[in-house]
Amino acid sequence: MQTPNPFTIELGDDWQINLGESISLNPFFSEPADNYLWSPADLIDCDLDCETLDFTPTQSALYSLTATSLSGCLATDSIFVEVATVRQVYIPNSFSPNFDGINDFFTIYGAIPNVQQIEELIIFDRWGGVVFEQKGFLPNDESAGWDGTKRKKSLDTGTYAYLAKIRFLDQVVVLYEGDVILIK
């Protein structure tokens, strides 16, 4: 008498990704299956009976799939997804607001969806006076950045300090501070 092969699920090898990268989990079943249950449910956006899973994890976790074969057998497999909290943000150290179409604005750049929003960008002169402030804008938006003016008056060449609060995909807000050189 021949023993039937057991019902199995194979999710593949563990993953290592950077914050903001998406993954696709396409399980292999040893026989047709239905009644898919992914966990942890609070980290997965899946309607009922998702056979495959495409998502952008925001934290490291062990993901599991339990399914039932058409003959009523149950199987489970798990995969660990490690999410490195790489903050993919770029803040220039100089700009030249001469309106030649190149580096005319000082703004914050970032990989989307890794960088979700610039919560606040404040520019200070050498005496600590605020010369520019912008809140709640998207990364890479030059029109939301600083054009080297204060009250529509061009400021002198020099070094200006900045503070930037940046919100990332995992909802962490990081404060960046530094200097930017205004070049004419």
Side-chain angles (χ1 to χ4, degrees), residues 52-123:
T52 62
L53 192 60
D54 297 308
F55 67 115
T56 306
T58 58
Q59 64 188 48
S60 298
L62 183 68
Y63 296 90
S64 297
L65 171 61
T66 301
T68 307
S69 71
L70 296 180
S71 60
C73 295
L74 201 64
T76 300
D77 192 23
S78 298
I79 188 170
F80 186 75
V81 178
E82 181 181 350
V83 179
T85 53
V86 175
R87 307 291 178 193
Q88 297 177 335
V89 65
Y90 171 69
I91 303 174
N93 60 6
S94 64
F95 75 116
S96 58
N98 57 8
F99 302 103
D100 64 356
I102 303 169
N103 298 323
D104 289 329
F105 296 90
F106 173 71
T107 195
I108 309 295
Y109 298 92
I112 297 173
N114 184 287
V115 178
Q116 290 287 291
Q117 183 171 356
I118 313 308
E119 297 287 328
E120 186 172 35
L121 174 62
I122 306 172
I123 312 294

